[in-house]
Amino acid sequence: MAAIDLFCNPSSLCIDRPSLRVGSSCFSVEGKLRRSGIAYMASSVPIKEESRENLGCSVTGDSFIRPHLRKLSPYQPILPFEVLSTRLGRKPEDIVKLDANENPYGPPPEVLEALGSMRFPYIYPDPESRSLRAALAEDSGIESEYILAGCGADELIDLIMRCVLDPGDKIVDCPPTFTMYEFDAAVNAARVIKVSRKLDFSLDVEQIAEVVEQERPKCIFLTSPNNPDGSIINDETLLKILTLPVLVVLDEAYIEFSGIESRMSWVKKYENLIVLRTFSKRAGLAGIRVGYGAFPFSIIEYLWRAKQPYNVSVAAEISACAALTNPVYLENVKVALVLERERLFKLLKEVPFLNPYPSYSNFILCEVTSGMDAKKLKEDLAKMGIMIRHYNNKELSGYVRVSVGKPEHTDALMLCLKRLG
């Protein structure tokens, strides 16, 4: 009964000294509990009223959650295809999905064949993803020792933050850009210092340098081509940022569509550079979730220690390896999407209420003009079965983003835009 009284009667706590009171008797914690074999460490921190209430038997579950997570706004992902289909009352094949930058051609046929003949789905995957990393080394030209794979590049972004950031540390974000950087920083109790892009969406390098000097952030996240506008970071700009005392994480999720080479090999020269890539766009494996990154030796060993042991599934590794066996297919799909991007851009320029921006990626950002409302445009197109991306944040108020699809997807989009015009 004494044990029950101690934990269920918070009013019995003596908070003026390290002891506990049961009924009218006050027992010394250092005496009675230590003789009972219970280790106790005195604390100089006073017990708050809220803490005393939480010692009672009516503890609520959210009292165990870290305070900064209670205020966290959830990430807003694109609706799953089956949910979208039900909501619109249309068959999936009747929806033109141009809202998530997915590869509409899907993976090479070797991927489905490999998944269909998968032999050991009941055995845990290789924790080091050796087959995949060997294939990536051959594909990228950088040794496998520099490469770490993940459950999408998203997992690697979070892993980097968990290894680098203490609560209260700062990162630099350059909006408008991929919102997962700000979201993961919030999850890891980091502070976000925003350096907005210029009107042409290029980086403000001078402002970045000033912020790094004054705020002393741990890392900066950059995307090239940038999502959502499709602009790229040239070598001169990247080299200037690499001279700063900050870890540079370069996200190359869309690099294949840009016509420029990946900077993966740069990690062998620059100790403060990480380069991330993915199979989602290039190989049509967004639903399988497999990404990878190139890291300096001085950093990668700690990520190996901290990552989940079986983070890349058997299906993901098999799929990615199979995709890399057909580089001709990957190249043909890339060329088809780049050609369609150029066609789509020219057609969008003819729409009187849209101002499209040139893109080096598989999407095009458009400013909505002439009194047309961007949100309403997205909603009206959705009613016709055409899905595009609309933004709620202030940097992109009045903008929409259109993914590049197949030629027939472009035709359907343009037909609907003409109806709305």
Side-chain angles (χ1 to χ4, degrees), residues 1 24 39 141 190 220 234 245 269 291 294 338 388 412:
M1 289 298 294
S24 60
I220 179 171
N234 60 39
K269 181 178 180 181
V338 170
I388 64 172

Side-chain angles (χ1 to χ4, degrees), residues 26 101 158 206 261 274 301 327 329 348-349 353 391 411:
C26 195
N101 305 336
D158 180 65
E206 291 75 19
E261 291 188 6
I274 292 172
E301 77 166 287
Y329 177 94
L348 291 173
K349 283 183 70 69
F353 52 85
Y391 297 92
D411 294 341

Side-chain angles (χ1 to χ4, degrees), residues 220-242:
I220 179 171
F221 285 82
L222 304 173
T223 312
S224 182
N226 185 48
N227 178 8
D229 65 278
S231 62
I232 57 174
I233 302 173
N234 60 39
D235 286 357
E236 180 183 2
T237 298
L238 182 57
L239 288 170
K240 286 181 180 178
I241 297 174
L242 285 170

Side-chain angles (χ1 to χ4, degrees), residues 65-182:
I65 302 298
R66 298 175 68 185
H68 76 278
L69 292 178
R70 298 186 201 177
K71 304 174 184 177
L72 179 69
S73 297
Y75 185 79
Q76 297 296 324
I78 298 296
L79 284 175
F81 209 25
E82 59 274 16
V83 174
L84 184 62
S85 174
T86 301
R87 186 168 296 184
L88 294 176
R90 294 174 179 266
K91 298 178 181 178
E93 56 269 23
D94 293 334
I95 298 174
V96 178
K97 197 170 184 301
L98 304 176
D99 59 349
N101 305 336
E102 292 133 334
N103 186 329
Y105 291 95
E110 288 82 358
V111 171
L112 297 181
E113 294 171 6
L115 288 172
S117 59
M118 187 166 51
R119 296 179 60 195
F120 303 112
Y122 52 90
I123 300 296
Y124 285 115
D126 175 8
E128 296 184 22
S129 307
R130 275 166 274 226
S131 296
L132 175 56
R133 288 169 52 236
L136 286 169
E138 184 175 349
D139 178 68
S140 66
I142 185 173
E143 295 85 350
S144 63
E145 290 78 12
Y146 292 93
I147 299 174
L148 181 67
C151 180
D154 289 348
E155 186 204 9
L156 298 179
I157 293 169
D158 180 65
L159 179 61
I160 292 166
M161 290 193 186
R162 286 193 286 116
C163 289
V164 171
L165 301 175
D166 286 317
D169 280 345
K170 303 169 186 175
I171 74 161
V172 177
D173 192 34
C174 299
T177 192
F178 188 37
T179 53
M180 278 298 295
Y181 312 136
E182 183 177 2

Side-chain angles (χ1 to χ4, degrees), residues 36-65:
S36 302
I38 301 176
Y40 171 82
M41 180 176 292
S43 172
S44 60
V45 180
I47 299 177
K48 298 180 181 179
E49 191 67 31
E50 179 184 358
S51 300
R52 287 187 295 173
E53 291 174 359
N54 286 343
L55 287 174
C57 293
S58 59
V59 174
T60 60
D62 62 353
S63 67
F64 299 106
I65 302 298

Side-chain angles (χ1 to χ4, degrees), residues 186-262:
V187 170
N188 287 280
R191 295 175 57 194
V192 179
I193 308 298
K194 295 187 178 183
V195 178
S196 297
R197 292 170 177 265
K198 298 179 181 179
L199 292 178
D200 64 353
F201 296 103
S202 62
L203 294 172
D204 190 337
V205 180
E206 291 75 19
Q207 184 66 22
I208 290 173
E210 186 176 331
V211 164
V212 170
E213 180 181 359
Q214 294 178 355
E215 300 289 344
R216 301 296 180 187
K218 282 280 191 74
C219 50
I220 179 171
F221 285 82
L222 304 173
T223 312
S224 182
N226 185 48
N227 178 8
D229 65 278
S231 62
I232 57 174
I233 302 173
N234 60 39
D235 286 357
E236 180 183 2
T237 298
L238 182 57
L239 288 170
K240 286 181 180 178
I241 297 174
L242 285 170
T243 64
L244 303 175
V246 64
L247 176 61
V248 179
V249 183
L250 180 64
D251 189 340
E252 292 186 338
Y254 302 94
I255 192 67
E256 292 83 11
F257 308 105
S258 69
I260 63 174
E261 291 188 6
S262 168

